[in-house]
Every structure is written in structure tokens, then in C-alpha cells.
Amino acid sequence: MDINVTLKVWRQNGPNDKGDFKEYQINKVSTDSSFLEMMDMLNNQLIENGEDPIAFDHDCREGICGMCSMYINGRPHGPGDGITTCQLHMRSFKDGDTIYIEPWRATAFPIIKDLMVDRTAFDKIMQAGGFVSVNTGSAQDANNIPVRKEDADEAFKAAACIGCGACVAACKNASAMLFTSAKVSQLALLPQGQTEATERALNMVAEMDAQGFGACTNTGACMAECPKEISLEHIARLNREYMAASLTSRD
Amino acid sequence: MALDSKIPKGSIDKKWSQYKSEIKLVNPANKRHINVIVVGTGLAGGAAAASLGEMGYNVKAFCFQDSPRRAHSIAAQGGINAAKNYQNDGDSVYRLFYDTIKGGDYRAREANVHRLAEVSRNIIDQCVAQGVPFAREYGGYLDNRSFGGVQVKRTFYAKGQTGQQLLLGAYSALSRQIAAKTVTMYNRHEMLDVVIVDGKARGIIARNLITGEIERHSAHAVVLATGGYGNVFFLSTNAMGSNVSAAWKAHRKGAYFANPCYTQIHPTCLPRSGDHQSKLTLMSESLRNDGRIWVPKKKEDAEAIQQGKKNANDIPEEDRDFYLERRYPAFGNLVPRDVASRAAKERCDAGYGVNQTGEAVYLDFGYAIKRMGKDAIEAKYGNLFQMYEKIADENPYELPMKIYPAVHYTMGGVWVDYDLMTTVPGLYCAGEANFSDHGANRLGASALMQGLADGYFVLPYTIGNYLADEIRTGTIPTDSPEFDKAEAEVKGTIDKLMNNNGTKPVDYFHKLLGSEMWEKCGMARNAEGLKSAIEEIQKIRKDFWANVKIPGSANAMNPELEKALRVADFLELGELMCRDALMREESCGGHFREEHQTEEGEALRHDDKFAFVGAWEFKGTDSEPTLHKEELVYENVEMKQRSYK
Ligand SMILES: Cc1cc2nc3c(=O)[nH]c(=O)nc-3n(C[C@H](O)[C@H](O)[C@H](O)COP(=O)(O)OP(=O)(O)OC[C@H]3O[C@@H](n4cnc5c(N)ncnc54)[C@H](O)[C@@H]3O)c2cc1C
Ligand code: SF4
Ligand code: FES
């Protein structure tokens, strides 16, 4: 089936531009197409009309790279639970709908252009401690340390975070707690991550603050919008790790 | 120039250890003064940059995404092979080596493949130490599954997200080095050329994708780990940004390009649903363990289905053609990827396809549900069924899935020697971008293994052997005439595109190229089709340069310009792929020439004439390239014709 929709898209020509919504009409969109394919269609239409196409981030288009990032009708990644923008299909909309499309909004994610934001603040948090300090070639045999299956599975669930930033966009404080806690939690659950657990929690939280993310007030909006359904339990675990770390930290 | 693969002497199982004990080393104080550029931060590049940084080299790493964590490796699902023999089912380094050579249809280099099998074991150790959460058994030890029809369980996995977890491991190692300032990361940067000074790779020209600025970066050696080129077909399972440009620019500057026609077409992907389609989605190969593949026996049934008048459940049992079970009774639905793909195409070309485009076959779980119950199927494949339903909007518990083959992986790539060095001294190539380990066809779960083997365990050694002679060179200046010239060329190309004043968007040309490639250089090829494709691609290329339209400015974020630069290179690569396919008058692995098949329609290799790597030398955009042959010598396995009957 084909539908016609009206789009109100945030256009902003660089970080210092004021930005504004612009309206576009797009017709004969197949309901089988994905949201991003609809955007491709619109962009090709704009190019043929001599207008500037809309900049947006995307790559894998199957919900795993974490690159796509649109705030659609007031929700990060749009309607539907447990999906990314690229996994949203046009069959979620009706003929004649008006759709609002905005970028992630957070001080720590400055807008590059239109719907594209700069998320290097996430990389910085990782660099502050989101790793195990093991050099290439110095690892022992992988089966030397058994890991309880429950712990391994729980670590896996935390590790499923794709670093998209929807949690930040959903949060009224623009807090990065869900993202940060997922990494701290993954490594805290595994024996390999124990040695550096204290420094990791302290350093990653400090970096999160330094990057300008807000404080967590436990509203739970992050988990509700997270495409990978990362659990709030990780925030609780981070808080525990952090408390323990603050108490035992030697500096 | 004669090709020298630099394979070390000695017996196959001693070559690598012998090599490692004999190579030159760079002392720690000197490493700090040596600069290495790594382009690409997927499994191969991320692992290489992190390891080289740890060793003390001064590394600059580049990727075009907004973060190194987003490289296309993230999308790999099924798993990674390693000869650990944790299941005690008789696996060994030799067996993994043998399976890889055989799976590659005897077109890979023995010494490289053996090394790959050897280091596969270290990869798992390394990843577990990094905190990669592989699947485990209840006892707490690592779990394995069998993958792609091999007889042992050697595949390690993390649900359906193995690539993601491995890449996040490499990314964490890389992040640690970035924090330690041994690696400087350049996100949202695209390499647009390699700079060669006095015959050696000495740097790159890159475009800052945010500002549009053209930058010069120099180094004592350059590593390309820029992934595969499946997107030459427009539609593939690759990420939208995957491209050939870095490899192609290297090719234009003297790096030979090997076996470009070896393409892997994966049999279980979601079919195309219409012209809006931007990419194809892979459904895990594991589905073939329990799903039965069929099309209707009667043409009128197929036609009714194509017109939406009937569906699968309307076709009685006796009117279903389980064509894989029929043709390959021994392997049935589990025949290798290339065989399964061609068989689907054969049925659809004959008019038996089962969707409106006529290009789909059924993958039916009805039988398995009857046999094992819905719960058992849900436990095994629940997330895949969900994914299918999200995209196709049909319930696979009730109606069979529709699948069709899609371009998935490219075995061909930049030619490299045993050291992973290209024909340009100081220029290395790792991961899917090189041609090295999979011959004419790659086994499932072996690409992740190769990427990490190259990045963690091979390149860090072999590059030292070269860099040991560079300790007295000093910093490479970026104001040399060579850098001036390379930058001017890049700027010239960009200006030409920006000022073209055409009328058509880049996608228009990319789609034309894609359909030409798919029709004539896809699952089955013949001389006539390939010759016509070469002519057509030349025409599309001319049309592109005359009529493409790039909006916006070159001095700012401009995704359309990025696409245009990539498609311009695909338009040259596509022609080379067809030339290579035309030259290779045999069928092997992912390359099927219709003129070379057995009476039963199976692939027919000609080992007497084609047991070589075809490495092409660039001679100019509109000139014919020169073919160089690296003869393949098999001392440890016997060449056999594959049979799955
Ligand atoms: C859907 C899917 C599933 C798969 N599943 C499996 C599996 O289960 N098991 C398996 O073994 N293999 C699998 N594969 C194959 C495997 O994922 C890839 O072959 C492998 O990950 C490639 O890794 P790489 O490091 O070589 O390249 P990539 O991960 O593609 O990385 C390329 C890097 O190069 C950068 N780059 C490219 N061009 C430029 C440029 N010009 N300038 C700057 N940077 C550039 C990119 O930014 C990126 O960082 C799968 C592939 C697909 C598509
Ligand atoms: S926690 Fe969820 S929403 Fe936040 S970055 Fe990770 S995947 Fe995205
Ligand atoms: S484009 Fe990769 S998650 Fe959406």
C-alpha cells in the first residue's frame, strides 16, 4: 500500500545556526519501506528540485550500529518499542499523518547539521575506563576461568548497548547513566573486569559529569526508550559500585 | 613486476613460528618515533591500531563513522571459528586449515591459511580476557556450535551478536590506547588517497567529513583495513557506508587488486520488496538446520502466488518441490552457501518464485513445528522470527518465510604477500579488504576470525619487520611535492563533482550499476553477459560524470558528496570485476561460469589452467588492466572436486 505524509523536519545548518522546522510533503510512500528509505526518497526528491537534502546519521540499517538517531513524534527512535529508527517501518503510519522529526537534544551532543549530532562524548566516557587493561598476546587460555552462566548472560545483556544515545535524548536531565552503567555493569559481572572495578566506576562517572551530561533522577525514561531494553538494574549496580569505590578509593 | 608472496621456507606448521623468531625488531625507544596510519577501525583495523599502540608505535586511526565502535563488523551475527577443540570432537589446527582451503575451492594460499588456523586459538583467549561475553554452558565454560555444515563444533558466539561483542572488545582496547595517547583517533574522516614518496607509502589525504577540510597525514607505513566492496551491487547485506574507495585508491597508485570477481552470495536473506529498497537483511544461516526450502511444482501455482491469489498453505504437499532435497539428497537444505544460492536462482529464473517480484523461495518451519512443537522452535529461533516479522509483516509460525540470496561478502581484494604488504612497499592491507585467506568462497564464521587474526596477531609482527629499517628516517614531511600533487588531485575530483551541474542524484547511477552487476556478474556469469556489462558500465560511468548532481558545499558536512566519491570508485571496480570474471574460464566457489558446469549443472573447476590468484595492475581509468598470476601450490592438501550429492 502507498501513503502520503507531511513531514516537519528540524533543519539546522551547523552548531551555531538557530534552526527551525521545515515542512515537506511526500507522496506514494510504500508502507513496506523503512522510515529511512522514506527519508532517502525525500532527499532524492529535494536534490532533483535543487534543494539541500536533510543530513542524518545511519549505516547498518538493521538496528545494531547505533548510528541512526531521530526523535520522531516526541520519542527517540519513534513509535514502537525495542527498535531503532532504521527498524521503524512506514506501516506504523497512516495516510495523511503529519510526522515531526528532530535530532537528539542534549548539551553534550551538539548538533552538526539537521538531524545529525556529535556523540563523541560517549567515546570519551569509554576512554575513561570502559576496558580491561590486557595487552594483546598476554591472555591465558580462555577456559581457565569458568564464569557462571547467569553472570555471563547478565553481562551479555548489558553489553548489548549500541551506544545510540536515545537514553540521553529521552531523559529530561540528559543524563548518560544508562549508557555508562551498562558498561560498568558488564565488566563488574565478569572476573576479568574485577581488578580495575573501583577505578573504572569512579573514572567513568567523573568523565560523564565532565562531558556535561545531567544527573540521574531515576525517572526511568531512558529504559522505556532504549532500543536494546537495557535495564535500570544496571544503574542500581553502578550506584553500588560507585559507593563502594568512593569508600575504598585510596586517592 | 613479478609477484613475490614471500612465503617462508619450512614445513607448513613451522613457517609462522620460524618467521616470528627471525624477523627484525624495533626497540621500544625507537617505536615512539615511528608513525603508523591505520585506516578503518573494524575488527581488523581496530585490533591493529590498539595492538600497535600498545607496542609503543605512534598511531593515527581513521574511520568515516562517528565512532570506531560503529564499523560494519558490528553487524556480524553467527559467530567466530577457532581450532580450540574444547568440545573434544576431533578439531585441530590442521582440520580448520583443511576445511578453509577446501571451502575456498582450492584457490587460497596454503601458508596464510595455516597461520590463520594457528592464531585462531589466541583470538578467543584475547577476547575473553577483554570481557567479551561469549555464550557459556551451565558449567561456566565456553559454548560452541557447528556452523556452515562443518563436522565439528568450533564456532564461538554471543547470541546473534557476535560481531558486535568482538568489535566492542577491540574498541575497548582501542579506547584504552586513545586514553594513553598512543593512538590518535580521527572519527568522521574519509581517506581519499594514499601518498607515495620514493616508491613507499608515506601517508594519506583525508577529508574531515564535518568541515569538509582536506587534510594531509604522514607516516612510515599505512595500513588499510577498510572492509569489503559488496555495495558495488547497490543492494547487499553490507552497511550503507561500506565502500571500496580506500582499496581502490591504493589500486590506482600501484597496489594490485586480486580476484575481484569472487563474491559471496548468501542464500538466506529477506527478498527485495520494491524500488524503495536501500539494503538487504541477512537471516541467520542457522535457520537452514530446521527449515525446509521449497517452491511450487506447478507453474500455475507459482503464478497465482505471484499475483497474490494463493499463498503457501494453499499448495498441497504433493505439489511442493523441495528442490535442494531433490538435487542434493546427502546434504539437502544444508548444502554450502554458493550451491544453495544458485539453486534458488535457477528455480526463480524458471518462473517458480513466490512473491510479487518472482524472486523468492519458501523457507518453511511448518514441518519442524509439527515435529518439535512451536515452543521448541521459538526457543531456538525466537529472535530471528521476530526480526522477520518486523520487516516482512508476516508471521513465520503460520506462513513459510520468504527468502532470496543476496550479496554478502567479497573474497577478492587488495593483493598482499605473507606479511600482508601490498605491491606498494609500506602499504599493508588487512581484514575483508585484502584477498588473502578465503580463496573463492568463505566459510561461515571465518571472516571475524581473519579480521582479528590480521589485526591482533599477524600485522603487529610483520609490520615491525619493515619498520625496523625506518628508525633513521625521521618524520615524513607533508609539504613535499608528492603530498601537494595528491591533495590537488583530490580537490580536483571534488571540484569537478561539485561544479558538474547535472540533474540526477548519486543513487540513480548506483542503482544502474547495481542491477548491471547483479544481472551479469552475480550468481551466474557468462562471457556474453560479462562483455556487455563491461560496455554498459563504461556508459554508466560516462553518464555519471556528465549528469550527476551534488547539492550543497564541499566545505561542510555533505553526505551526498561522500556517496558520489564512493560510487565513482565502484563504477571503476565494477568493470574490473567483470574483466576478472571473464578471464576466469572456470567455475569455482562464488564464481560460477555457465559455460563451465557438469552435466548435472554443478560447478566445474579447471585446476590445470586456473589454479592461480589473478592480480590486476591498474593502467588508467579507460585502459585495460594487466593480469599477473600467482600460481597456487598445494603441498599439504590434495585438490578435489567438491560434491554434495
Ligand atoms: C550481516 C552480516 C553478517 C555477518 N556475519 C558474520 C559472521 O557471523 N561470522 C563471520 O565470520 N563473518 C560475518 N560477516 C562478515 C564480517 O562481518 C566482515 O567480513 C568483517 O567484519 C569485516 O571486518 P573489517 O575489519 O575487515 O571491515 P569493517 O568492519 O567493514 O570496517 C571497515 C572500517 O573501515 C573504515 N573505512 C572504510 N573506508 C574508509 C575510508 N575511505 N576512510 C576512512 N575509513 C574508512 C570504516 O569506517 C570502518 O571502520 C557478516 C557480514 C554481514 C554483512
Ligand atoms: S543504553 Fe540503550 S538508549 Fe542508551 S545508548 Fe545504550 S542502547 Fe542506546
Ligand atoms: S543505522 Fe545502524 S542502528 Fe540504525
Side-chain angles (χ1 to χ4, degrees):
Chain A
M1 201 178 67
D2 287 351
I3 58 173
N4 303 336
V5 288
T6 307
L7 305 174
K8 305 236 184 194
V9 185
W10 186 260
R11 302 297 315 253
Q12 182 172 335
N13 207 356
N16 302 320
D17 183 26
K18 204 159 98 307
D20 205 354
F21 282 103
K22 225 179 145 192
E23 187 175 309
Y24 302 95
Q25 180 66 35
I26 177 151
N27 296 337
K28 295 207 187 128
V29 182
S30 160
T31 48
D32 280 335
S33 63
S34 72
F35 197 81
L36 295 185
E37 283 165 353
M38 182 275 294
M39 294 296 291
D40 293 342
M41 221 174 125
L42 174 64
N43 273 346
N44 281 336
Q45 200 171 296
L46 292 176
I47 294 165
E48 280 172 31
N49 294 337
E51 290 176 64
D52 195 26
I54 299 157
F56 61 89
D57 269 324
H58 65 105
D59 198 25
C60 74
R61 296 206 176 186
E62 48 190 63
I64 195 72
C65 74
M67 193 106 178
C68 61
S69 48
M70 291 185 193
Y71 197 83
I72 303 164
N73 286 346
R75 290 184 66 183
H77 296 305
D81 293 326
I83 55 167
T84 53
T85 304
C86 61
Q87 291 174 302
L88 178 64
H89 274 79
M90 289 310 288
R91 63 179 83 94
S92 306
F93 300 92
K94 292 192 308 293
D95 191 39
D97 274 359
T98 299
I99 308 172
Y100 284 83
I101 312 174
E102 296 170 73
W104 285 175
R105 295 192 193 274
T107 322
F109 291 164
I111 291 178
I112 294 172
K113 190 181 178 195
D114 301 335
L115 305 172
M116 202 179 255
V117 299
D118 180 355
R119 285 169 288 194
T120 40
F122 269 10
D123 288 330
K124 292 272 164 28
I125 296 176
M126 287 298 191
Q127 288 154 21
F131 47 76
V132 174
S133 297
V134 53
N135 281 354
T136 304
S138 58
Q140 58 173 326
D141 186 87
N143 254 352
N144 275 358
I145 312 177
V147 181
R148 279 188 352 135
K149 182 166 165 54
E150 297 91 287
D151 290 341
D153 288 351
E154 208 36 42
F156 172 81
K157 280 192 202 151
C161 164
I162 56 173
C164 64
C167 46
V168 176
C171 175
K172 65 179 167 52
N173 308 320
S175 165
M177 268 302 258
L178 194 62
F179 167 80
T180 307
S181 70
K183 198 67 197 178
V184 169
S185 203
Q186 176 203 340
L187 296 177
L189 280 158
L190 297 170
Q192 290 81 5
Q194 294 303 325
T195 319
E196 298 165 282
T198 308
E199 294 86 344
R200 178 176 306 116
L202 291 174
N203 293 343
M204 289 181 77
V205 169
E207 188 62 34
M208 191 174 83
D209 294 341
Q211 290 296 324
F213 292 102
C216 170
T217 55
N218 283 312
T219 65
C222 50
M223 177 169 123
E225 298 297 358
C226 170
K228 298 295 150 185
E229 301 173 325
I230 301 291
S231 160
L232 289 177
E233 278 168 37
H234 299 302
I235 298 190
R237 188 173 290 110
L238 169 59
N239 284 332
R240 285 200 299 278
E241 291 283 325
Y242 187 76
M243 282 298 291
S246 314
L247 293 174
T248 58
S249 169
R250 275 156 294 185
D251 349 291
Chain B
M1 186 174 73
L3 284 171
D4 179 4
S5 51
K6 301 216 194 87
I7 299 170
K9 299 248 163 0
S11 69
I12 188 100
D13 55 338
K14 300 275 161 34
K15 286 185 197 290
W16 180 232
S17 46
Q18 188 73 20
Y19 174 96
K20 281 196 293 184
S21 56
E22 285 170 4
I23 48 170
K24 289 175 261 180
L25 299 174
V26 184
N27 85 37
N30 285 329
K31 282 196 186 118
R32 245 177 297 133
H33 304 295
I34 291 194
N35 304 314
V36 181
I37 285 176
V38 179
V39 188
T41 56
L43 289 183
S51 304
L52 291 168
E54 262 168 41
M55 292 163 83
Y57 293 107
N58 209 342
V59 179
K60 284 183 175 185
F62 294 79
C63 73
F64 65 75
Q65 290 93 345
D66 71 334
S67 163
R69 66 178 293 154
R70 306 206 201 279
H72 170 57
S73 294
I74 201 102
Q77 304 173 351
I80 177 167
N81 289 331
K84 277 288 198 186
N85 194 29
Y86 282 162
Q87 306 303 329
N88 197 22
D89 54 4
D91 199 12
S92 64
V93 167
Y94 182 81
R95 207 173 276 276
L96 176 54
F97 157 73
Y98 175 84
D99 287 349
T100 309
I101 293 281
K102 176 183 171 208
D105 222 355
Y106 307 93
R107 290 294 176 264
R109 193 190 284 154
E110 273 193 343
N112 285 51
V113 176
H114 199 277
R115 175 177 65 191
L116 173 67
E118 287 173 50
V119 304
S120 69
R121 299 172 300 182
N122 305 89
I123 296 173
I124 304 304
D125 300 341
Q126 187 65 30
C127 295
V128 166
Q130 290 168 344
V132 170
F134 282 123
R136 287 179 184 267
E137 296 165 348
Y138 280 100
Y141 293 99
L142 292 162
D143 192 19
N144 293 113
R145 57 184 173 204
S146 91
F147 205 73
V150 292
Q151 287 155 312
V152 293
K153 282 182 163 182
R154 64 159 76 100
T155 306
F156 294 78
Y157 66 101
K159 282 235 172 96
Q161 296 159 25
T162 317
Q164 179 193 23
Q165 295 311 325
L166 296 173
L167 183 60
L168 292 181
Y171 165 72
S172 73
L174 181 62
S175 296
R176 175 170 162 245
Q177 294 311 310
I178 296 171
K181 299 205 161 49
T182 60
V183 178
T184 314
M185 186 66 221
Y186 295 83
N187 300 343
R188 293 201 197 262
H189 272 69
E190 185 139 335
M191 168 192 148
L192 295 180
D193 209 352
V194 38
V195 182
I196 294 172
V197 182
D198 297 333
K200 291 177 175 172
R202 290 304 197 192
I204 63 168
I205 305 291
R207 180 165 179 270
N208 176 329
L209 300 181
I210 298 182
T211 62
E213 205 177 320
I214 304 297
E215 301 171 0
R216 304 176 180 196
H217 298 272
S218 69
H220 298 92
V222 175
V223 179
L224 303 182
T226 46
Y229 51 84
N231 276 347
V232 66
F233 290 86
F234 186 69
L235 288 178
S236 80
T237 63
N238 288 9
M240 300 297 286
S242 298
N243 69 88
V244 76
S245 289
W248 193 256
K249 289 302 181 329
H251 176 55
R252 292 183 60 109
K253 286 276 168 85
Y256 293 0
F257 208 104
N259 301 336
C261 80
Y262 291 162
T263 315
Q264 183 167 85
I265 315 250
H266 198 293
T268 54
C269 301
L270 273 90
R272 232 163 62 91
S273 68
D275 287 338
H276 55 263
Q277 198 110 5
S278 60
K279 74 156 282 170
L280 297 168
T281 306
L282 174 77
M283 298 295 292
S284 169
E285 182 150 46
S286 61
L287 290 169
R288 284 202 278 145
N289 288 325
D290 288 300
R292 293 181 71 190
I293 295 175
W294 63 273
V295 293
K297 265 187 195 155
K298 295 188 191 146
K299 210 164 245 150
E300 57 271 27
D301 282 344
E303 280 159 8
I305 292 171
Q306 288 160 13
Q307 292 154 11
K309 290 180 195 149
K310 274 189 180 175
N311 73 37
N313 295 340
D314 299 328
I315 312 298
E317 177 76 23
E318 63 273 17
D319 290 339
R320 300 177 175 189
D321 176 16
F322 299 91
Y323 57 86
L324 287 177
E325 299 169 25
R326 168 168 61 78
R327 285 178 65 179
Y328 308 99
F331 279 70
N333 294 298
L334 292 174
V335 290
R337 292 176 176 177
D338 53 330
V339 179
S341 294
R342 276 195 302 275
K345 176 180 158 59
E346 189 277 329
R347 283 293 79 193
C348 293
D349 286 353
Y352 295 91
V354 296
N355 70 355
Q356 75 275 21
T357 65
E359 290 193 334
V361 300
Y362 288 131
L363 176 63
D364 195 342
F365 286 86
Y367 300 90
I369 290 174
K370 256 187 229 141
R371 182 163 45 89
M372 304 155 66
K374 188 179 163 202
D375 291 348
I377 291 297
E378 191 170 348
K380 241 175 144 172
Y381 304 112
N383 56 348
L384 292 170
F385 276 43
Q386 238 175 17
M387 171 171 130
Y388 179 85
E389 189 165 0
K390 260 183 216 160
I391 300 175
D393 201 25
E394 269 183 6
N395 181 348
Y397 293 100
E398 283 159 16
L399 278 172
M401 287 185 181
K402 290 176 201 138
I403 54 160
Y404 198 66
V407 173
H408 179 58
Y409 182 89
T410 48
M411 281 74 69
V414 179
W415 186 90
V416 289
D417 62 16
Y418 189 75
D419 291 356
L420 303 185
M421 187 150 87
T422 69
T423 46
V424 176
L427 183 64
Y428 290 77
C429 190
E432 190 174 339
N434 75 25
F435 89 107
S436 79
D437 296 351
H438 307 294
N441 184 37
R442 173 178 72 78
L443 289 180
S446 282
L448 301 179
M449 169 173 74
Q450 184 224 332
L452 290 181
D454 287 0
Y456 284 133
F457 298 109
V458 178
L459 200 91
Y461 284 100
T462 58
I463 205 171
N465 201 25
Y466 174 81
L467 292 172
D469 295 332
E470 294 288 340
I471 52 177
R472 281 179 203 87
T473 309
T475 311
I476 313 283
T478 56
D479 55 3
S480 61
E482 290 85 355
F483 270 94
D484 291 347
K485 183 158 175 274
E487 181 181 305
E489 272 171 24
V490 164
K491 285 187 166 157
T493 309
I494 292 177
D495 283 347
K496 198 165 160 200
L497 285 166
M498 295 307 300
N499 300 328
N500 199 32
N501 258 330
T503 53
K504 299 213 169 66
V506 179
D507 281 355
Y508 167 83
F509 302 97
H510 198 176
K511 285 182 185 177
L512 285 180
L513 171 67
S515 73
E516 201 62 31
M517 293 298 295
W518 181 242
E519 292 305 326
K520 299 176 187 162
C521 196
M523 271 184 279
R525 299 129 182 214
N526 61 51
E528 195 191 341
L530 290 165
K531 282 181 195 149
S532 109
I534 293 170
E535 276 174 30
E536 287 305 315
I537 293 169
Q538 288 169 348
K539 278 189 214 147
I540 302 169
R541 195 162 67 221
K542 279 212 185 75
D543 190 19
F544 170 86
W545 284 105
N547 292 313
V548 71
K549 168 160 185 132
I550 315 295
S553 146
N555 304 319
M557 169 58 74
N558 191 337
E560 207 53 27
L561 173 61
E562 294 164 30
K563 266 203 282 190
L565 289 164
R566 293 171 190 161
V567 170
D569 294 329
F570 280 140
L571 283 164
E572 294 181 14
L573 167 76
E575 181 179 334
L576 185 68
M577 289 171 73
C578 295
R579 286 190 188 280
D580 188 48
L582 188 61
M583 172 281 287
R584 193 163 282 279
E585 291 187 47
E586 66 163 349
S587 296
C588 61
H591 168 67
F592 188 80
R593 278 287 297 268
E594 284 167 351
E595 305 93 323
H596 302 276
Q597 47 183 313
T598 63
E599 270 168 30
E600 297 94 38
E602 305 303 334
L604 191 60
R605 270 190 352 246
H606 298 307
D607 294 337
D608 51 335
K609 293 199 213 95
F610 289 98
F612 63 80
V613 173
W616 297 91
E617 180 184 0
F618 183 78
K619 289 284 179 190
T621 312
D622 296 311
S623 315
E624 282 194 28
T626 307
L627 176 68
H628 301 265
K629 296 179 185 174
E630 177 196 340
E631 298 296 336
L632 292 166
V633 184
Y634 290 93
E635 291 168 340
N636 299 278
V637 291
E638 187 196 338
M639 296 167 100
K640 289 193 191 125
Q641 205 67 244
R642 293 186 308 163
S643 168
Y644 299 95
K645 290 272 174 200

